[in-house]
Structures are given as structure tokens and as C-alpha cells.
PDB file of all heavy atoms in Angstrom:
ATOM      1  N   ALA E   1     -82.401 -68.395 -28.051  1.00  0.00           N
ATOM      2  CA  ALA E   1     -82.869 -67.487 -29.116  1.00  0.00           C
ATOM      3  C   ALA E   1     -82.675 -68.116 -30.475  1.00  0.00           C
ATOM      4  O   ALA E   1     -83.541 -68.023 -31.355  1.00  0.00           O
ATOM      5  CB  ALA E   1     -82.124 -66.157 -29.019  1.00  0.00           C
ATOM      6  N   VAL E   2     -81.525 -68.773 -30.686  1.00  0.00           N
ATOM      7  CA  VAL E   2     -81.261 -69.426 -31.968  1.00  0.00           C
ATOM      8  C   VAL E   2     -82.252 -70.544 -32.208  1.00  0.00           C
ATOM      9  O   VAL E   2     -82.814 -70.698 -33.298  1.00  0.00           O
ATOM     10  CB  VAL E   2     -79.813 -69.967 -32.020  1.00  0.00           C
ATOM     11  CG1 VAL E   2     -79.618 -70.858 -33.231  1.00  0.00           C
ATOM     12  CG2 VAL E   2     -78.818 -68.816 -32.032  1.00  0.00           C
ATOM     13  N   SER E   3     -82.513 -71.359 -31.149  1.00  0.00           N
ATOM     14  CA  SER E   3     -83.458 -72.461 -31.285  1.00  0.00           C
ATOM     15  C   SER E   3     -84.845 -71.943 -31.624  1.00  0.00           C
ATOM     16  O   SER E   3     -85.544 -72.499 -32.475  1.00  0.00           O
ATOM     17  CB  SER E   3     -83.515 -73.270 -29.989  1.00  0.00           C
ATOM     18  OG  SER E   3     -82.254 -73.854 -29.709  1.00  0.00           O
ATOM     19  N   ALA E   4     -85.244 -70.853 -30.967  1.00  0.00           N
ATOM     20  CA  ALA E   4     -86.552 -70.265 -31.247  1.00  0.00           C
ATOM     21  C   ALA E   4     -86.622 -69.748 -32.668  1.00  0.00           C
ATOM     22  O   ALA E   4     -87.628 -69.892 -33.352  1.00  0.00           O
ATOM     23  CB  ALA E   4     -86.843 -69.148 -30.246  1.00  0.00           C
ATOM     24  N   ALA E   5     -85.525 -69.148 -33.149  1.00  0.00           N
ATOM     25  CA  ALA E   5     -85.507 -68.594 -34.509  1.00  0.00           C
ATOM     26  C   ALA E   5     -85.595 -69.690 -35.553  1.00  0.00           C
ATOM     27  O   ALA E   5     -86.080 -69.472 -36.660  1.00  0.00           O
ATOM     28  CB  ALA E   5     -84.231 -67.774 -34.703  1.00  0.00           C
ATOM     29  N   GLU E   6     -85.106 -70.882 -35.206  1.00  0.00           N
ATOM     30  CA  GLU E   6     -85.100 -71.979 -36.174  1.00  0.00           C
ATOM     31  C   GLU E   6     -86.431 -72.720 -36.202  1.00  0.00           C
ATOM     32  O   GLU E   6     -86.628 -73.602 -37.027  1.00  0.00           O
ATOM     33  CB  GLU E   6     -83.964 -72.944 -35.833  1.00  0.00           C
ATOM     34  CG  GLU E   6     -82.580 -72.362 -36.076  1.00  0.00           C
ATOM     35  CD  GLU E   6     -81.471 -73.300 -35.647  1.00  0.00           C
ATOM     36  OE1 GLU E   6     -81.788 -74.303 -34.967  1.00  0.00           O
ATOM     37  OE2 GLU E   6     -80.311 -73.024 -35.987  1.00  0.00           O
ATOM     38  N   THR E   7     -87.338 -72.406 -35.293  1.00  0.00           N
ATOM     39  CA  THR E   7     -88.636 -73.064 -35.249  1.00  0.00           C
ATOM     40  C   THR E   7     -89.684 -72.190 -35.936  1.00  0.00           C
ATOM     41  O   THR E   7     -90.042 -71.131 -35.418  1.00  0.00           O
ATOM     42  CB  THR E   7     -89.069 -73.304 -33.784  1.00  0.00           C
ATOM     43  OG1 THR E   7     -88.052 -74.069 -33.121  1.00  0.00           O
ATOM     44  CG2 THR E   7     -90.388 -74.066 -33.741  1.00  0.00           C
ATOM     45  N   PRO E   8     -90.163 -72.600 -37.107  1.00  0.00           N
ATOM     46  CA  PRO E   8     -91.139 -71.772 -37.839  1.00  0.00           C
ATOM     47  C   PRO E   8     -92.437 -71.607 -37.059  1.00  0.00           C
ATOM     48  O   PRO E   8     -92.885 -72.529 -36.375  1.00  0.00           O
ATOM     49  CB  PRO E   8     -91.379 -72.575 -39.125  1.00  0.00           C
ATOM     50  CG  PRO E   8     -90.213 -73.494 -39.242  1.00  0.00           C
ATOM     51  CD  PRO E   8     -89.816 -73.821 -37.838  1.00  0.00           C
ATOM     52  N   ARG E   9     -93.004 -70.433 -37.152  1.00  0.00           N
ATOM     53  CA  ARG E   9     -94.290 -70.154 -36.530  1.00  0.00           C
ATOM     54  C   ARG E   9     -95.275 -69.694 -37.589  1.00  0.00           C
ATOM     55  O   ARG E   9     -94.929 -68.923 -38.480  1.00  0.00           O
ATOM     56  CB  ARG E   9     -94.160 -69.050 -35.487  1.00  0.00           C
ATOM     57  CG  ARG E   9     -93.640 -69.498 -34.145  1.00  0.00           C
ATOM     58  CD  ARG E   9     -93.617 -68.329 -33.175  1.00  0.00           C
ATOM     59  NE  ARG E   9     -94.910 -67.644 -33.120  1.00  0.00           N
ATOM     60  CZ  ARG E   9     -95.088 -66.469 -32.520  1.00  0.00           C
ATOM     61  NH1 ARG E   9     -94.068 -65.843 -31.972  1.00  0.00           N
ATOM     62  NH2 ARG E   9     -96.282 -65.914 -32.491  1.00  0.00           N
ATOM     63  N   THR E  10     -96.500 -70.161 -37.493  1.00  0.00           N
ATOM     64  CA  THR E  10     -97.549 -69.741 -38.407  1.00  0.00           C
ATOM     65  C   THR E  10     -98.480 -68.779 -37.685  1.00  0.00           C
ATOM     66  O   THR E  10     -98.867 -69.035 -36.542  1.00  0.00           O
ATOM     67  CB  THR E  10     -98.346 -70.956 -38.916  1.00  0.00           C
ATOM     68  OG1 THR E  10     -97.462 -71.837 -39.615  1.00  0.00           O
ATOM     69  CG2 THR E  10     -99.462 -70.519 -39.860  1.00  0.00           C
ATOM     70  N   GLY E  11     -98.818 -67.703 -38.353  1.00  0.00           N
ATOM     71  CA  GLY E  11     -99.745 -66.751 -37.757  1.00  0.00           C
ATOM     72  C   GLY E  11     -99.041 -65.677 -36.964  1.00  0.00           C
ATOM     73  O   GLY E  11     -97.822 -65.570 -36.956  1.00  0.00           O
ATOM     74  N   GLY E  12     -99.831 -64.862 -36.288  1.00  0.00           N
ATOM     75  CA  GLY E  12     -99.270 -63.773 -35.503  1.00  0.00           C
ATOM     76  C   GLY E  12     -99.025 -62.539 -36.348  1.00  0.00           C
ATOM     77  O   GLY E  12     -99.436 -62.452 -37.505  1.00  0.00           O
ATOM     78  N   SER E  13     -98.326 -61.573 -35.761  1.00  0.00           N
ATOM     79  CA  SER E  13     -98.021 -60.327 -36.465  1.00  0.00           C
ATOM     80  C   SER E  13     -96.578 -59.947 -36.205  1.00  0.00           C
ATOM     81  O   SER E  13     -95.961 -60.398 -35.241  1.00  0.00           O
ATOM     82  CB  SER E  13     -98.959 -59.202 -36.004  1.00  0.00           C
ATOM     83  OG  SER E  13     -98.781 -58.951 -34.616  1.00  0.00           O
ATOM     84  N   PHE E  14     -96.049 -59.104 -37.083  1.00  0.00           N
ATOM     85  CA  PHE E  14     -94.659 -58.677 -36.999  1.00  0.00           C
ATOM     86  C   PHE E  14     -94.623 -57.197 -37.334  1.00  0.00           C
ATOM     87  O   PHE E  14     -95.097 -56.785 -38.397  1.00  0.00           O
ATOM     88  CB  PHE E  14     -93.823 -59.488 -37.991  1.00  0.00           C
ATOM     89  CG  PHE E  14     -92.342 -59.199 -37.940  1.00  0.00           C
ATOM     90  CD1 PHE E  14     -91.614 -59.432 -36.793  1.00  0.00           C
ATOM     91  CD2 PHE E  14     -91.682 -58.703 -39.056  1.00  0.00           C
ATOM     92  CE1 PHE E  14     -90.249 -59.182 -36.735  1.00  0.00           C
ATOM     93  CE2 PHE E  14     -90.323 -58.439 -39.021  1.00  0.00           C
ATOM     94  CZ  PHE E  14     -89.598 -58.688 -37.856  1.00  0.00           C
ATOM     95  N   THR E  15     -94.092 -56.389 -36.429  1.00  0.00           N
ATOM     96  CA  THR E  15     -94.061 -54.940 -36.612  1.00  0.00           C
ATOM     97  C   THR E  15     -92.634 -54.465 -36.825  1.00  0.00           C
ATOM     98  O   THR E  15     -91.737 -54.832 -36.067  1.00  0.00           O
ATOM     99  CB  THR E  15     -94.657 -54.226 -35.387  1.00  0.00           C
ATOM    100  OG1 THR E  15     -95.995 -54.685 -35.180  1.00  0.00           O
ATOM    101  CG2 THR E  15     -94.671 -52.721 -35.590  1.00  0.00           C
ATOM    102  N   VAL E  16     -92.436 -53.667 -37.854  1.00  0.00           N
ATOM    103  CA  VAL E  16     -91.113 -53.133 -38.185  1.00  0.00           C
ATOM    104  C   VAL E  16     -91.210 -51.613 -38.301  1.00  0.00           C
ATOM    105  O   VAL E  16     -92.129 -51.096 -38.956  1.00  0.00           O
ATOM    106  CB  VAL E  16     -90.591 -53.716 -39.508  1.00  0.00           C
ATOM    107  CG1 VAL E  16     -89.222 -53.124 -39.843  1.00  0.00           C
ATOM    108  CG2 VAL E  16     -90.498 -55.232 -39.430  1.00  0.00           C
ATOM    109  N   GLY E  17     -90.288 -50.910 -37.686  1.00  0.00           N
ATOM    110  CA  GLY E  17     -90.245 -49.461 -37.816  1.00  0.00           C
ATOM    111  C   GLY E  17     -89.276 -49.057 -38.918  1.00  0.00           C
ATOM    112  O   GLY E  17     -88.153 -49.550 -38.969  1.00  0.00           O
ATOM    113  N   VAL E  18     -89.718 -48.208 -39.840  1.00  0.00           N
ATOM    114  CA  VAL E  18     -88.854 -47.729 -40.924  1.00  0.00           C
ATOM    115  C   VAL E  18     -88.858 -46.204 -40.922  1.00  0.00           C
ATOM    116  O   VAL E  18     -89.840 -45.576 -40.532  1.00  0.00           O
ATOM    117  CB  VAL E  18     -89.309 -48.258 -42.310  1.00  0.00           C
ATOM    118  CG1 VAL E  18     -89.119 -49.759 -42.397  1.00  0.00           C
ATOM    119  CG2 VAL E  18     -90.762 -47.907 -42.576  1.00  0.00           C
ATOM    120  N   GLU E  19     -87.747 -45.616 -41.366  1.00  0.00           N
ATOM    121  CA  GLU E  19     -87.620 -44.163 -41.289  1.00  0.00           C
ATOM    122  C   GLU E  19     -88.113 -43.452 -42.549  1.00  0.00           C
ATOM    123  O   GLU E  19     -88.258 -42.231 -42.552  1.00  0.00           O
ATOM    124  CB  GLU E  19     -86.155 -43.802 -41.043  1.00  0.00           C
ATOM    125  CG  GLU E  19     -85.212 -44.238 -42.143  1.00  0.00           C
ATOM    126  CD  GLU E  19     -83.780 -43.877 -41.828  1.00  0.00           C
ATOM    127  OE1 GLU E  19     -83.531 -42.719 -41.472  1.00  0.00           O
ATOM    128  OE2 GLU E  19     -82.922 -44.740 -41.959  1.00  0.00           O
ATOM    129  N   THR E  20     -88.369 -44.222 -43.613  1.00  0.00           N
ATOM    130  CA  THR E  20     -88.760 -43.609 -44.888  1.00  0.00           C
ATOM    131  C   THR E  20     -90.155 -44.054 -45.292  1.00  0.00           C
ATOM    132  O   THR E  20     -90.408 -45.238 -45.475  1.00  0.00           O
ATOM    133  CB  THR E  20     -87.766 -43.990 -46.002  1.00  0.00           C
ATOM    134  OG1 THR E  20     -86.451 -43.581 -45.615  1.00  0.00           O
ATOM    135  CG2 THR E  20     -88.136 -43.308 -47.312  1.00  0.00           C
ATOM    136  N   GLU E  21     -91.041 -43.086 -45.429  1.00  0.00           N
ATOM    137  CA  GLU E  21     -92.385 -43.387 -45.900  1.00  0.00           C
ATOM    138  C   GLU E  21     -92.391 -43.309 -47.434  1.00  0.00           C
ATOM    139  O   GLU E  21     -91.896 -42.336 -48.015  1.00  0.00           O
ATOM    140  CB  GLU E  21     -93.383 -42.381 -45.338  1.00  0.00           C
ATOM    141  CG  GLU E  21     -94.816 -42.652 -45.750  1.00  0.00           C
ATOM    142  CD  GLU E  21     -95.788 -41.744 -45.019  1.00  0.00           C
ATOM    143  OE1 GLU E  21     -95.338 -40.727 -44.443  1.00  0.00           O
ATOM    144  OE2 GLU E  21     -96.987 -42.042 -45.018  1.00  0.00           O
ATOM    145  N   PRO E  22     -92.914 -44.327 -48.118  1.00  0.00           N
ATOM    146  CA  PRO E  22     -92.932 -44.270 -49.591  1.00  0.00           C
ATOM    147  C   PRO E  22     -93.674 -43.045 -50.100  1.00  0.00           C
ATOM    148  O   PRO E  22     -94.752 -42.707 -49.600  1.00  0.00           O
ATOM    149  CB  PRO E  22     -93.676 -45.563 -49.968  1.00  0.00           C
ATOM    150  CG  PRO E  22     -93.457 -46.487 -48.814  1.00  0.00           C
ATOM    151  CD  PRO E  22     -93.468 -45.595 -47.598  1.00  0.00           C
ATOM    152  N   ASN E  23     -93.099 -42.365 -51.089  1.00  0.00           N
ATOM    153  CA  ASN E  23     -93.807 -41.210 -51.651  1.00  0.00           C
ATOM    154  C   ASN E  23     -94.869 -41.654 -52.646  1.00  0.00           C
ATOM    155  O   ASN E  23     -95.710 -40.863 -53.054  1.00  0.00           O
ATOM    156  CB  ASN E  23     -92.842 -40.199 -52.283  1.00  0.00           C
ATOM    157  CG  ASN E  23     -91.941 -40.817 -53.335  1.00  0.00           C
ATOM    158  OD1 ASN E  23     -92.325 -41.743 -54.038  1.00  0.00           O
ATOM    159  ND2 ASN E  23     -90.712 -40.319 -53.439  1.00  0.00           N
ATOM    160  N   THR E  24     -94.825 -42.919 -53.064  1.00  0.00           N
ATOM    161  CA  THR E  24     -95.878 -43.543 -53.844  1.00  0.00           C
ATOM    162  C   THR E  24     -95.810 -45.037 -53.569  1.00  0.00           C
ATOM    163  O   THR E  24     -94.731 -45.579 -53.320  1.00  0.00           O
ATOM    164  CB  THR E  24     -95.740 -43.279 -55.356  1.00  0.00           C
ATOM    165  OG1 THR E  24     -96.660 -44.126 -56.072  1.00  0.00           O
ATOM    166  CG2 THR E  24     -94.346 -43.592 -55.851  1.00  0.00           C
ATOM    167  N   PHE E  25     -96.952 -45.698 -53.618  1.00  0.00           N
ATOM    168  CA  PHE E  25     -96.978 -47.143 -53.439  1.00  0.00           C
ATOM    169  C   PHE E  25     -96.962 -47.864 -54.780  1.00  0.00           C
ATOM    170  O   PHE E  25     -97.304 -49.040 -54.863  1.00  0.00           O
ATOM    171  CB  PHE E  25     -98.185 -47.555 -52.593  1.00  0.00           C
ATOM    172  CG  PHE E  25     -97.916 -47.483 -51.118  1.00  0.00           C
ATOM    173  CD1 PHE E  25     -97.947 -46.265 -50.457  1.00  0.00           C
ATOM    174  CD2 PHE E  25     -97.587 -48.621 -50.399  1.00  0.00           C
ATOM    175  CE1 PHE E  25     -97.678 -46.188 -49.104  1.00  0.00           C
ATOM    176  CE2 PHE E  25     -97.315 -48.551 -49.044  1.00  0.00           C
ATOM    177  CZ  PHE E  25     -97.356 -47.332 -48.392  1.00  0.00           C
ATOM    178  N   ASN E  26     -96.555 -47.171 -55.811  1.00  0.00           N
ATOM    179  CA  ASN E  26     -96.203 -47.823 -57.080  1.00  0.00           C
ATOM    180  C   ASN E  26     -94.692 -48.027 -57.028  1.00  0.00           C
ATOM    181  O   ASN E  26     -93.929 -47.055 -57.089  1.00  0.00           O
ATOM    182  CB  ASN E  26     -96.587 -46.945 -58.272  1.00  0.00           C
ATOM    183  CG  ASN E  26     -96.210 -47.578 -59.600  1.00  0.00           C
ATOM    184  OD1 ASN E  26     -95.187 -48.252 -59.725  1.00  0.00           O
ATOM    185  ND2 ASN E  26     -97.029 -47.355 -60.618  1.00  0.00           N
ATOM    186  N   PRO E  27     -94.216 -49.266 -56.901  1.00  0.00           N
ATOM    187  CA  PRO E  27     -92.788 -49.499 -56.694  1.00  0.00           C
ATOM    188  C   PRO E  27     -91.924 -49.088 -57.876  1.00  0.00           C
ATOM    189  O   PRO E  27     -90.744 -48.793 -57.706  1.00  0.00           O
ATOM    190  CB  PRO E  27     -92.713 -51.010 -56.448  1.00  0.00           C
ATOM    191  CG  PRO E  27     -93.884 -51.562 -57.204  1.00  0.00           C
ATOM    192  CD  PRO E  27     -94.959 -50.537 -57.026  1.00  0.00           C
ATOM    193  N   GLN E  28     -92.504 -49.052 -59.065  1.00  0.00           N
ATOM    194  CA  GLN E  28     -91.732 -48.666 -60.248  1.00  0.00           C
ATOM    195  C   GLN E  28     -91.410 -47.184 -60.259  1.00  0.00           C
ATOM    196  O   GLN E  28     -90.400 -46.756 -60.818  1.00  0.00           O
ATOM    197  CB  GLN E  28     -92.503 -49.034 -61.520  1.00  0.00           C
ATOM    198  CG  GLN E  28     -92.708 -50.523 -61.723  1.00  0.00           C
ATOM    199  CD  GLN E  28     -93.459 -50.829 -62.997  1.00  0.00           C
ATOM    200  OE1 GLN E  28     -93.910 -49.917 -63.711  1.00  0.00           O
ATOM    201  NE2 GLN E  28     -93.608 -52.101 -63.311  1.00  0.00           N
ATOM    202  N   LEU E  29     -92.260 -46.384 -59.638  1.00  0.00           N
ATOM    203  CA  LEU E  29     -92.100 -44.924 -59.668  1.00  0.00           C
ATOM    204  C   LEU E  29     -91.528 -44.363 -58.374  1.00  0.00           C
ATOM    205  O   LEU E  29     -91.277 -43.167 -58.283  1.00  0.00           O
ATOM    206  CB  LEU E  29     -93.459 -44.256 -59.944  1.00  0.00           C
ATOM    207  CG  LEU E  29     -94.180 -44.674 -61.230  1.00  0.00           C
ATOM    208  CD1 LEU E  29     -95.517 -43.937 -61.343  1.00  0.00           C
ATOM    209  CD2 LEU E  29     -93.319 -44.409 -62.447  1.00  0.00           C
ATOM    210  N   ASN E  30     -91.312 -45.211 -57.390  1.00  0.00           N
ATOM    211  CA  ASN E  30     -90.938 -44.704 -56.071  1.00  0.00           C
ATOM    212  C   ASN E  30     -89.546 -44.106 -56.031  1.00  0.00           C
ATOM    213  O   ASN E  30     -89.380 -42.949 -55.678  1.00  0.00           O
ATOM    214  CB  ASN E  30     -91.075 -45.814 -55.020  1.00  0.00           C
ATOM    215  CG  ASN E  30     -90.892 -45.279 -53.624  1.00  0.00           C
ATOM    216  OD1 ASN E  30     -89.774 -45.129 -53.158  1.00  0.00           O
ATOM    217  ND2 ASN E  30     -91.989 -44.948 -52.964  1.00  0.00           N
ATOM    218  N   GLY E  31     -88.524 -44.883 -56.354  1.00  0.00           N
ATOM    219  CA  GLY E  31     -87.164 -44.355 -56.407  1.00  0.00           C
ATOM    220  C   GLY E  31     -86.473 -44.159 -55.076  1.00  0.00           C
ATOM    221  O   GLY E  31     -85.364 -43.636 -55.019  1.00  0.00           O
ATOM    222  N   GLN E  32     -87.102 -44.546 -53.968  1.00  0.00           N
ATOM    223  CA  GLN E  32     -86.498 -44.401 -52.636  1.00  0.00           C
ATOM    224  C   GLN E  32     -85.943 -45.764 -52.211  1.00  0.00           C
ATOM    225  O   GLN E  32     -86.693 -46.709 -51.985  1.00  0.00           O
ATOM    226  CB  GLN E  32     -87.538 -43.956 -51.613  1.00  0.00           C
ATOM    227  CG  GLN E  32     -88.198 -42.620 -51.909  1.00  0.00           C
ATOM    228  CD  GLN E  32     -89.431 -42.444 -51.049  1.00  0.00           C
ATOM    229  OE1 GLN E  32     -90.466 -43.016 -51.329  1.00  0.00           O
ATOM    230  NE2 GLN E  32     -89.319 -41.652 -49.988  1.00  0.00           N
ATOM    231  N   ALA E  33     -84.633 -45.843 -52.067  1.00  0.00           N
ATOM    232  CA  ALA E  33     -84.009 -47.130 -51.741  1.00  0.00           C
ATOM    233  C   ALA E  33     -84.547 -47.705 -50.433  1.00  0.00           C
ATOM    234  O   ALA E  33     -84.829 -48.908 -50.333  1.00  0.00           O
ATOM    235  CB  ALA E  33     -82.497 -46.972 -51.666  1.00  0.00           C
ATOM    236  N   LYS E  34     -84.698 -46.873 -49.415  1.00  0.00           N
ATOM    237  CA  LYS E  34     -85.143 -47.372 -48.117  1.00  0.00           C
ATOM    238  C   LYS E  34     -86.611 -47.793 -48.123  1.00  0.00           C
ATOM    239  O   LYS E  34     -87.044 -48.563 -47.267  1.00  0.00           O
ATOM    240  CB  LYS E  34     -84.901 -46.319 -47.041  1.00  0.00           C
ATOM    241  CG  LYS E  34     -83.426 -46.072 -46.756  1.00  0.00           C
ATOM    242  CD  LYS E  34     -83.223 -45.080 -45.640  1.00  0.00           C
ATOM    243  CE  LYS E  34     -81.743 -44.852 -45.374  1.00  0.00           C
ATOM    244  NZ  LYS E  34     -81.516 -43.874 -44.286  1.00  0.00           N
ATOM    245  N   ALA E  35     -87.385 -47.301 -49.078  1.00  0.00           N
ATOM    246  CA  ALA E  35     -88.790 -47.687 -49.168  1.00  0.00           C
ATOM    247  C   ALA E  35     -88.943 -49.132 -49.626  1.00  0.00           C
ATOM    248  O   ALA E  35     -90.024 -49.713 -49.487  1.00  0.00           O
ATOM    249  CB  ALA E  35     -89.542 -46.749 -50.111  1.00  0.00           C
ATOM    250  N   ASP E  36     -87.877 -49.707 -50.177  1.00  0.00           N
ATOM    251  CA  ASP E  36     -87.931 -51.107 -50.604  1.00  0.00           C
ATOM    252  C   ASP E  36     -88.262 -52.037 -49.447  1.00  0.00           C
ATOM    253  O   ASP E  36     -88.841 -53.104 -49.647  1.00  0.00           O
ATOM    254  CB  ASP E  36     -86.606 -51.544 -51.240  1.00  0.00           C
ATOM    255  CG  ASP E  36     -86.581 -51.283 -52.732  1.00  0.00           C
ATOM    256  OD1 ASP E  36     -87.636 -50.907 -53.273  1.00  0.00           O
ATOM    257  OD2 ASP E  36     -85.526 -51.463 -53.351  1.00  0.00           O
ATOM    258  N   VAL E  37     -87.877 -51.653 -48.230  1.00  0.00           N
ATOM    259  CA  VAL E  37     -88.201 -52.463 -47.047  1.00  0.00           C
ATOM    260  C   VAL E  37     -89.709 -52.667 -46.954  1.00  0.00           C
ATOM    261  O   VAL E  37     -90.191 -53.725 -46.554  1.00  0.00           O
ATOM    262  CB  VAL E  37     -87.681 -51.772 -45.766  1.00  0.00           C
ATOM    263  CG1 VAL E  37     -88.125 -52.538 -44.524  1.00  0.00           C
ATOM    264  CG2 VAL E  37     -86.164 -51.670 -45.808  1.00  0.00           C
ATOM    265  N   THR E  38     -90.458 -51.652 -47.349  1.00  0.00           N
ATOM    266  CA  THR E  38     -91.918 -51.713 -47.324  1.00  0.00           C
ATOM    267  C   THR E  38     -92.485 -52.339 -48.584  1.00  0.00           C
ATOM    268  O   THR E  38     -93.283 -53.272 -48.531  1.00  0.00           O
ATOM    269  CB  THR E  38     -92.502 -50.292 -47.147  1.00  0.00           C
ATOM    270  OG1 THR E  38     -91.987 -49.717 -45.954  1.00  0.00           O
ATOM    271  CG2 THR E  38     -94.024 -50.335 -47.084  1.00  0.00           C
ATOM    272  N   LEU E  39     -92.034 -51.862 -49.741  1.00  0.00           N
ATOM    273  CA  LEU E  39     -92.666 -52.234 -51.001  1.00  0.00           C
ATOM    274  C   LEU E  39     -92.355 -53.648 -51.463  1.00  0.00           C
ATOM    275  O   LEU E  39     -93.181 -54.274 -52.152  1.00  0.00           O
ATOM    276  CB  LEU E  39     -92.264 -51.230 -52.091  1.00  0.00           C
ATOM    277  CG  LEU E  39     -92.616 -49.767 -51.780  1.00  0.00           C
ATOM    278  CD1 LEU E  39     -92.169 -48.858 -52.918  1.00  0.00           C
ATOM    279  CD2 LEU E  39     -94.104 -49.601 -51.521  1.00  0.00           C
ATOM    280  N   ARG E  40     -91.187 -54.178 -51.108  1.00  0.00           N
ATOM    281  CA  ARG E  40     -90.820 -55.525 -51.558  1.00  0.00           C
ATOM    282  C   ARG E  40     -91.686 -56.609 -50.932  1.00  0.00           C
ATOM    283  O   ARG E  40     -91.623 -57.761 -51.340  1.00  0.00           O
ATOM    284  CB  ARG E  40     -89.347 -55.800 -51.270  1.00  0.00           C
ATOM    285  CG  ARG E  40     -88.410 -55.338 -52.355  1.00  0.00           C
ATOM    286  CD  ARG E  40     -88.666 -56.037 -53.666  1.00  0.00           C
ATOM    287  NE  ARG E  40     -87.733 -55.628 -54.708  1.00  0.00           N
ATOM    288  CZ  ARG E  40     -87.816 -56.003 -55.973  1.00  0.00           C
ATOM    289  NH1 ARG E  40     -88.798 -56.786 -56.360  1.00  0.00           N
ATOM    290  NH2 ARG E  40     -86.941 -55.590 -56.847  1.00  0.00           N
ATOM    291  N   ASN E  41     -92.501 -56.251 -49.937  1.00  0.00           N
ATOM    292  CA  ASN E  41     -93.446 -57.215 -49.395  1.00  0.00           C
ATOM    293  C   ASN E  41     -94.499 -57.635 -50.424  1.00  0.00           C
ATOM    294  O   ASN E  41     -95.069 -58.721 -50.330  1.00  0.00           O
ATOM    295  CB  ASN E  41     -94.174 -56.620 -48.177  1.00  0.00           C
ATOM    296  CG  ASN E  41     -93.280 -56.499 -46.969  1.00  0.00           C
ATOM    297  OD1 ASN E  41     -92.927 -57.491 -46.354  1.00  0.00           O
ATOM    298  ND2 ASN E  41     -92.899 -55.278 -46.637  1.00  0.00           N
ATOM    299  N   VAL E  42     -94.754 -56.759 -51.388  1.00  0.00           N
ATOM    300  CA  VAL E  42     -95.887 -56.947 -52.295  1.00  0.00           C
ATOM    301  C   VAL E  42     -95.456 -57.235 -53.729  1.00  0.00           C
ATOM    302  O   VAL E  42     -96.050 -58.076 -54.408  1.00  0.00           O
ATOM    303  CB  VAL E  42     -96.795 -55.693 -52.283  1.00  0.00           C
ATOM    304  CG1 VAL E  42     -97.957 -55.833 -53.262  1.00  0.00           C
ATOM    305  CG2 VAL E  42     -97.325 -55.449 -50.868  1.00  0.00           C
ATOM    306  N   TRP E  43     -94.407 -56.541 -54.213  1.00  0.00           N
ATOM    307  CA  TRP E  43     -94.059 -56.620 -55.632  1.00  0.00           C
ATOM    308  C   TRP E  43     -92.706 -57.295 -55.849  1.00  0.00           C
ATOM    309  O   TRP E  43     -91.753 -57.063 -55.096  1.00  0.00           O
ATOM    310  CB  TRP E  43     -94.060 -55.214 -56.244  1.00  0.00           C
ATOM    311  CG  TRP E  43     -95.435 -54.629 -56.255  1.00  0.00           C
ATOM    312  CD1 TRP E  43     -96.432 -54.874 -57.152  1.00  0.00           C
ATOM    313  CD2 TRP E  43     -95.977 -53.703 -55.305  1.00  0.00           C
ATOM    314  NE1 TRP E  43     -97.561 -54.167 -56.812  1.00  0.00           N
ATOM    315  CE2 TRP E  43     -97.310 -53.437 -55.683  1.00  0.00           C
ATOM    316  CE3 TRP E  43     -95.466 -53.081 -54.171  1.00  0.00           C
ATOM    317  CZ2 TRP E  43     -98.141 -52.578 -54.980  1.00  0.00           C
ATOM    318  CZ3 TRP E  43     -96.291 -52.223 -53.452  1.00  0.00           C
ATOM    319  CH2 TRP E  43     -97.611 -51.975 -53.866  1.00  0.00           C
ATOM    320  N   GLU E  44     -92.631 -58.114 -56.889  1.00  0.00           N
ATOM    321  CA  GLU E  44     -91.438 -58.910 -57.152  1.00  0.00           C
ATOM    322  C   GLU E  44     -90.920 -58.682 -58.565  1.00  0.00           C
ATOM    323  O   GLU E  44     -91.542 -57.984 -59.373  1.00  0.00           O
ATOM    324  CB  GLU E  44     -91.754 -60.389 -56.939  1.00  0.00           C
ATOM    325  CG  GLU E  44     -92.250 -60.708 -55.535  1.00  0.00           C
ATOM    326  CD  GLU E  44     -92.528 -62.179 -55.351  1.00  0.00           C
ATOM    327  OE1 GLU E  44     -93.325 -62.736 -56.140  1.00  0.00           O
ATOM    328  OE2 GLU E  44     -91.965 -62.775 -54.437  1.00  0.00           O
ATOM    329  N   SER E  45     -89.785 -59.323 -58.869  1.00  0.00           N
ATOM    330  CA  SER E  45     -89.094 -59.101 -60.138  1.00  0.00           C
ATOM    331  C   SER E  45     -88.794 -60.421 -60.842  1.00  0.00           C
ATOM    332  O   SER E  45     -89.001 -61.500 -60.284  1.00  0.00           O
ATOM    333  CB  SER E  45     -87.793 -58.335 -59.887  1.00  0.00           C
ATOM    334  OG  SER E  45     -88.055 -57.108 -59.238  1.00  0.00           O
ATOM    335  N   LEU E  46     -88.270 -60.310 -62.045  1.00  0.00           N
ATOM    336  CA  LEU E  46     -87.992 -61.496 -62.850  1.00  0.00           C
ATOM    337  C   LEU E  46     -86.853 -62.330 -62.283  1.00  0.00           C
ATOM    338  O   LEU E  46     -86.903 -63.563 -62.288  1.00  0.00           O
ATOM    339  CB  LEU E  46     -87.667 -61.088 -64.292  1.00  0.00           C
ATOM    340  CG  LEU E  46     -88.812 -60.426 -65.065  1.00  0.00           C
ATOM    341  CD1 LEU E  46     -88.329 -59.993 -66.445  1.00  0.00           C
ATOM    342  CD2 LEU E  46     -90.002 -61.365 -65.181  1.00  0.00           C
TER     343      LEU E  46
END
């Protein structure tokens, strides 16, 4: 498992289950800590 994890793969898909649905997809206005798991895929900081 460790060897497989250390070998980068290109392509494919990755599915993650989260318990909190963002109440808005504007990350500045969301305010839900657990929604960061979803929103940080798209928006970044300084």
C-alpha cells in the first residue's frame, strides 16, 4: 500500500464523502469549516 501510494498516477477519478454541504459556493461567504474540504479544491489564498 505504501509503495502504491508513493507512485504518482495521472488521470482517473477520486470520490470523497463529506457530511457538510456548502450553503454557498462562494468561499468567502460560506463560513462552514467542514465545507473547506470541498471549496479548497477551487479557491486559494495569499
Side-chain angles (χ1 to χ4, degrees):
V2 170
S3 297
E6 291 176 349
T7 303
R9 279 183 52 191
T10 299
S13 62
F14 184 61
T15 302
V16 179
V18 293
E19 62 181 310
T20 303
E21 182 172 16
N23 55 33
T24 169
F25 274 79
N26 179 325
Q28 295 181 356
L29 303 179
N30 188 277
Q32 300 166 282
K34 292 183 180 180
D36 271 352
V37 175
T38 303
L39 302 180
R40 273 298 182 186
N41 288 288
V42 178
W43 294 279
E44 301 181 304
S45 302
L46 295 176

